[in-house]
């Protein structure tokens, strides 16, 4: 038996109380590997995706895994099985699946993500959809600015679905911009990347400004569950509105007359963000709901100075 195979049998026997014992002739099966994850309390889908990832297969190969669950772990799969166990342990300790597999689906795009960026959320697709609904009325080649782009999720989804738009993506984090740049290159989407502190140094005008800024209050209990993601992407002062206040105040200087500002915010912040938009002179102020029915994005039209 090759060494890698011996090691595989050993960890299965030691760490999982599985049926395989050191020195026994029968090799472990892929199903035994998945049982390790079940004992750690992992969701079946997570376990399958992590094992497929370790085996170098895409998540769409779940049917393959089901069909081969009874197959013995081949010698050349032994290190992948060990890697899967390490991933199971990290997942059981709370590390997000997207960071472990290095990817996240967003608005039909496969984005690469790691600890440098927030994992794009399904709620943010509401912001993208609203942008795509508005864009046809905003000119032939509307200029779009995505503030706090992170992985590039919003900017890339807009660019992909509205190829005539001229999309710029801005972030304060050099690390985030590197991830967004890599996603733009891999998806072959011509988004311009810019480093900046919100709109402080943006000199040009846009027909549409979008932002999913940090909006969690610094003392919020939910932060504990988000410890793996960058705090710079999450926290916005004592009430969670610091960045939303800043963007709302700055945006009129960077919007063309008739342009729109759309903001994602916390599920209890719609009234506060709408009030900020009205206070800064936006018209047609309104909110859109997430899948749970909470006001999740608010926006308004800039009438011009
Ligand atoms: C909630 S994340 C959103 C990421 C991405 N747009 C998404 O929806 O998945 C907020 C982003 O804002 C960026 N950010 C925080 N403060 C900033 C600032 N002062 N200027 C520009 N970007 C900032 C963070 O680096 C982070 O990437």
């Amino acid at each position: 038996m090759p060494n890698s195979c011996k090691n595989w049998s050993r960890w299965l026997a030691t760490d999982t109380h599985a049926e395989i014992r050191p020195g026994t002739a029968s090799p472990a099966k892929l199903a035994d590997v998945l049982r390790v994850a079940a004992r750690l309390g992992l969701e079946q889908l997570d376990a399958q995706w992590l094992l497929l990832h370790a085996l170098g297969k895409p998540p769409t190969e779940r049917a393959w895994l089901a069909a081969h669950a009874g197959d013995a772990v081949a010698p050349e799969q032994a290190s992948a099985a060990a890697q899967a166990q390490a991933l199971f342990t990290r997942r059981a300790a709370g590390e997000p699946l997207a960071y472990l597999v290095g990817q996240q689906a967003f608005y039909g795009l496969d984005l690469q993500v790691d600890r440098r960026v927030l994992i794009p959320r399904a709620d943010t697709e509401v912001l993208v959809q609203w942008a795509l609904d508005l864009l046809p009325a905003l000119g032939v080649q509307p200029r779009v600015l995505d503030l706090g782009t992170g992985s590039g999720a919003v900017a890339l989804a807009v660019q992909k679905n509205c190829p005539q738009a001229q999309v710029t993506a801005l972030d304060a984090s050099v690390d985030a911009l590197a991830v967004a740049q890599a996603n733009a290159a891999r998806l072959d989407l011509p988004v311009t990347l810019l480093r900046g502190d919100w709109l402080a140094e943006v000199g040009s005008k846009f027909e549409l400004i979008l932002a999913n800024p940090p909006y969690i209050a610094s003392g919020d209990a939910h932060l504990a569950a988000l410890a793996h993601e960058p705090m710079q992407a999450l926290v916005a002062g004592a009430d969670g509105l610091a960045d939303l206040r800043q963007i709302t105040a700055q945006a009129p200087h960077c919007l063309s007359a008739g342009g729109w500002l759309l903001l994602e915010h916390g599920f209890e912040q719609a009234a506060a963000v709408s009030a900020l938009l009205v206070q800064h002179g936006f018209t047609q102020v309104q909110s859109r709901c997430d899948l749970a029915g909470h006001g999740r994005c608010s926006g308004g039209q800039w009438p011009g100075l």
Side-chain angles (χ1 to χ4, degrees):
M1 185 187 278
N3 266 343
S4 54
C5 232
K6 275 191 209 145
N7 292 341
W8 161 239
S9 289
R10 190 176 313 119
W11 80 243
L12 201 62
T14 310
D15 296 349
T16 72
H17 316 292
E19 302 72 18
I20 310 303
R21 297 274 177 273
T24 58
S26 51
K29 299 181 172 116
L30 290 172
D32 297 324
V33 184
L34 291 172
R35 271 196 282 276
V36 176
R39 287 189 191 106
L40 288 168
L42 265 62
E43 300 279 339
Q44 188 185 23
L45 271 177
D46 287 12
Q48 289 172 330
W49 192 352
L50 289 171
L51 177 53
L52 286 168
H53 176 71
L55 289 165
K57 291 183 180 293
T60 46
E61 292 281 0
R62 285 180 55 230
W64 177 91
L65 196 53
H68 291 84
D71 291 1
V73 174
E76 65 275 13
Q77 291 173 327
S79 69
Q83 190 198 340
Q85 186 216 21
L87 293 171
F88 295 160
T89 305
R90 287 167 63 187
R91 182 73 193 110
E95 206 164 326
L97 184 67
Y99 287 158
L100 294 175
V101 298
Q103 70 185 91
Q104 175 70 23
F106 180 78
Y107 210 88
L109 300 176
D110 275 331
L111 297 170
Q112 289 185 351
V113 294
D114 58 38
R115 295 179 71 116
R116 293 174 291 176
V117 292
L118 185 97
I119 299 164
R121 307 295 207 268
D123 287 337
T124 304
E125 295 184 346
V126 174
L127 184 71
V128 172
Q129 188 56 55
W130 196 353
L132 294 174
D133 291 345
L134 286 174
L135 278 168
L138 294 179
V140 183
Q141 290 187 305
R143 294 163 294 180
V144 180
L145 177 60
D146 171 30
L147 293 173
T149 199
S151 62
V154 172
L156 295 170
V158 169
Q159 186 71 83
K160 173 79 179 176
N161 290 281
C162 183
Q164 69 276 21
Q166 303 174 56
V167 181
T168 300
L170 179 148
D171 207 289
S173 158
V174 176
D175 280 347
L177 287 170
V179 175
Q181 168 70 63
N183 277 320
R186 202 171 36 80
L187 296 168
D188 196 21
L189 291 167
V191 165
T192 302
L193 293 150
L194 206 61
R195 188 179 182 202
D197 176 6
W198 300 132
L199 292 156
E201 287 164 43
V202 174
S204 34
K205 300 263 185 196
F206 295 85
E207 280 67 52
L208 181 59
I209 297 179
L210 308 165
N212 173 20
Y215 52 69
I216 301 179
S218 50
D220 194 308
H222 294 101
L223 284 172
L226 303 169
H228 293 274
E229 297 185 78
M231 282 301 118
Q232 191 192 5
L234 296 167
V235 179
D239 65 355
L241 292 168
D243 292 305
L244 286 157
R245 258 186 219 106
Q246 202 173 334
I247 294 167
T248 313
Q250 293 173 330
H253 306 288
C254 301
L255 280 167
S256 55
W260 281 78
L261 172 64
L262 305 183
L263 300 165
E264 180 175 324
H265 49 68
F267 71 98
E268 291 173 323
Q269 294 173 330
V273 175
S274 295
L276 285 171
L277 288 162
V278 171
Q279 178 195 330
H280 289 286
F282 285 87
T283 60
Q284 294 208 57
V285 172
Q286 53 201 280
S287 299
R288 283 203 181 183
C289 292
D290 59 22
L291 291 172
H294 301 298
R296 172 62 64 176
C297 293
S298 297
Q301 189 172 33
W302 177 242
L305 291 168

